[in-house]
Amino acid sequence: MMTKLFQLQKIAVIKCFMFLFILHFQNLMAQTSSVKETNYQRIENAEHIVVYQEENKFLGWPANNGAWSADGVNMLVGFTHGDYELIRDNHNIGGNQISWLARSTDMGQTWEGYDPVGYVGDFGKEQEPQILEKPIDFSHPQFAMRIVGASYHGAQDERAHYFFSYDAGKSWSAPYRFGVDDIREWPELKNTTLPDQTELTPRTDYVVEGKDECLIFMSVREKGKFGTDRLFCIRTLDGGKTFKFVGWVVPPFDERKVDLSVKIKLEEDDAQNPHPDQSRAVMSQTVRLENGKLICAMRRRYNKHNWVDAYASQDGGVSWAFLSEVGDAGAGNGNPPALNITDKGRLVAIFGNREEPGTMMVVYSDTEGASWSKPKIIRDGYGSVDMETIDLGYPQLLRRKDGKMVALYYWSTKDYLHHIAATIWDADK
């Protein structure tokens, strides 16, 4: 009797182990089948440079801070400079967060970082921007503009303001308001499905159109509500003294005005897919082609999905149409794009992908943004202390005088924790 009982127990144990093995094997197969493609080609002619690094400091987010080059030789990039602090499941940045700049005078080969005087954040969180009296000369050969909004690095201003420079960012004038009126009270923003309480969340994205003319890209969202940003553009015709609404790139969702059958294909179940206007649209980078067409690449998000889209305008920004999906920005909160044009007219877009282990990706378009090449890796080998948040990217993209591209972004390795990096390569090869 005892022998039979022992045999039954033995069989039960074996069955239990077999069940656990099968379950483990099934989970392993499911994980393997869900892994995204990782065999991307790498850019072979890329040169990686440390722009600025400092012990016990966390440096990041060039896309939030801007980058400029007046001549393709002298270059400037902004970034956030703060104390390094290991924080679980978050950015490893603590206190003393300041807007810094780094300058290069040799086409991005060497850089010097510094805290500029009279710049973003130096006027307090409750600063009162001035009203511009003397028109700006946007055509000045060393003109640069830095735009500031609410709820991100540098300063807080729900109405938005800007700084400008005539010496390639060595000194800055301002801060100035975007005209006398609060943009949030404009009828074009009020007569939408936006709530009464809103805030402007622009980064620095503008297209100079002449001595007195400039097209500026803005975003607006429900106050304090992450992910509700929608994108529009405004224009000044009098050197920045006044501004007027031009058009929505991605407007607030209004089911009365859109074709509800048009959806972004994110899920297999089409009922779970959103209309394009239901997805976050923010942190744009815009270029104007020789034929006058505007191409605007932007950061998109819906639920757990993060990607980059391109929209186009043929009428100076009044109307916009979806052009193409530029690329996949990976896990977490994704990444914004940087966009530029090579000497041969090729569009170049870069963005970070936060899928582990983390990469910087580049895509090209020889069809004015209608289609894009398969992504290539311009940088991998990311490494940080915790590897919990793949904290990288937020790039800017400048073109050198010799035609090569300079990608500027934040990065981390075991030797150099979160720092500002550059990758230089020939995007026309």
Side-chain angles (χ1 to χ4, degrees):
M1 185 72 177
M2 291 295 294
T3 302
K4 187 175 182 180
L5 180 62
F6 176 77
Q7 289 176 340
L8 291 173
Q9 290 175 335
K10 185 177 180 181
I11 292 171
V13 170
I14 292 172
K15 286 183 176 180
C16 182
F17 274 112
M18 289 180 66
F19 173 77
L20 292 173
F21 174 78
I22 292 170
L23 183 63
H24 173 72
F25 180 76
Q26 288 175 337
N27 288 337
L28 182 62
M29 291 300 293
Q31 291 173 10
T32 303
S33 64
S34 66
V35 171
K36 293 189 177 182
E37 183 178 3
T38 57
N39 60 337
Y40 294 111
Q41 292 184 354
R42 288 173 174 78
I43 299 296
E44 295 181 356
N45 61 342
E47 177 185 5
H48 305 308
I49 293 170
V50 174
V51 171
Y52 187 75
Q53 184 269 341
E54 189 175 342
E55 288 296 319
N56 300 317
K57 298 294 181 181
F58 184 106
L59 313 173
W61 304 288
N64 297 66
N65 289 271
W68 308 265
S69 181
D71 53 14
V73 176
N74 297 283
M75 296 182 170
L76 193 67
V77 61
F79 59 94
T80 302
H81 177 287
D83 296 335
Y84 187 93
E85 180 181 347
L86 192 60
I87 304 173
R88 183 171 293 278
D89 296 324
N90 208 333
H91 304 296
N92 291 329
I93 187 169
N96 301 313
Q97 296 185 29
I98 306 171
S99 293
W100 272 44
L101 295 171
R103 182 180 299 280
S104 173
T105 57
D106 56 7
M107 297 195 297
Q109 294 294 146
T110 61
W111 297 79
E112 179 182 359
Y114 62 98
D115 179 9
V117 177
Y119 191 57
V120 179
D122 290 351
F123 301 89
K125 289 187 176 181
E126 301 298 329
Q127 71 275 12
E128 183 57 39
Q130 305 171 37
I131 301 297
L132 185 73
E133 295 182 359
K134 183 180 179 181
I136 298 170
D137 179 4
F138 293 110
S139 65
H140 192 286
Q142 297 191 62
F143 172 78
M145 175 185 280
R146 167 71 153 92
I147 301 171
V148 180
S151 190
Y152 71 101
H153 315 275
Q156 304 291 328
D157 187 357
E158 297 175 356
R159 299 173 302 179
H161 61 264
Y162 64 92
F163 295 73
F164 74 91
S165 173
Y166 283 149
D167 55 13
K170 293 178 182 178
S171 62
W172 297 86
S173 298
Y176 291 106
R177 293 177 59 180
F178 284 96
V180 177
D181 299 326
D182 187 337
I183 293 175
R184 298 173 299 169
E185 300 300 319
W186 287 3
E188 293 87 355
L189 273 68
K190 279 296 185 181
N191 297 331
T192 67
T193 58
L194 286 168
D196 290 336
Q197 298 295 316
T198 59
E199 57 190 0
L200 298 176
T201 57
R203 276 60 165 181
T204 299
D205 182 20
Y206 60 89
V207 177
V208 172
E209 299 178 312
K211 182 177 183 296
D212 300 309
E213 301 177 25
C214 188
L215 184 67
I216 297 173
F217 290 79
M218 311 283 285
S219 53
V220 62
R221 75 179 184 189
E222 182 176 348
K223 186 175 180 178
K225 190 171 182 179
F226 171 82
T228 61
D229 312 76
R230 299 297 183 268
L231 192 64
F232 64 99
C233 54
I234 64 176
R235 176 177 281 118
T236 179
L237 299 174
D238 56 9
K241 297 182 71 175
T242 62
F243 293 84
K244 291 185 178 181
F245 183 89
V246 178
W248 287 102
V249 184
V250 178
F253 177 67
D254 188 341
E255 62 182 7
R256 299 166 300 179
K257 299 179 180 179
V258 299
D259 182 352
L260 297 177
S261 67
V262 176
K263 293 188 175 183
I264 302 173
K265 304 300 182 183
L266 301 175
E267 306 286 357
E268 290 186 9
D269 181 1
D270 196 53
Q272 299 182 34
N273 288 323
H275 186 275
D277 295 351
Q278 290 176 297
S279 301
R280 186 189 193 198
V282 73
M283 298 190 76
S284 62
Q285 287 288 285
T286 308
V287 297
R288 183 177 57 201
L289 306 182
E290 287 188 359
N291 60 14
K293 181 188 294 185
L294 293 165
I295 308 295
C296 178
M298 71 200 72
R299 181 182 193 176
R300 306 302 306 270
R301 180 180 173 87
Y302 185 80
N303 291 338
K304 64 180 183 295
H305 299 281
N306 304 282
W307 72 100
V308 175
D309 272 344
Y311 278 60
S313 175
Q314 305 253 24
D315 55 12
V318 176
S319 60
W320 294 83
F322 172 76
L323 186 61
S324 58
E325 181 179 331
V326 178
D328 180 5
N333 192 28
N335 239 244
L339 182 68
N340 213 323
I341 311 174
T342 69
D343 286 343
K344 295 182 179 180
R346 166 181 269 189
L347 285 172
V348 184
I350 60 171
F351 49 90
N353 187 307
R354 282 173 160 168
E355 297 285 355
E356 192 173 355
T359 52
M360 291 300 300
M361 311 297 290
V362 61
V363 291
Y364 304 113
S365 177
D366 296 310
T367 59
E368 297 185 349
S371 60
W372 298 83
S373 66
K374 184 177 180 179
K376 290 186 177 182
I377 296 173
I378 64 170
R379 185 77 181 269
D380 57 5
Y382 175 89
S384 65
V385 172
D386 53 2
M387 291 298 288
E388 289 181 348
T389 300
I390 310 300
D391 213 356
L392 56 81
Y394 283 63
Q396 295 280 354
L397 188 59
L398 300 176
R399 185 175 71 234
R400 302 198 330 176
K401 188 176 181 179
D402 64 2
K404 289 186 177 182
M405 287 291 171
V406 182
L408 297 153
Y409 51 94
Y410 76 115
W411 192 252
S412 183
T413 66
K414 298 298 183 181
D415 295 327
Y416 297 101
L417 293 180
H418 280 92
H419 63 278
I420 305 303
T423 295
I424 301 173
W425 83 106
D426 189 341
D428 273 324
K429 285 188 176 180

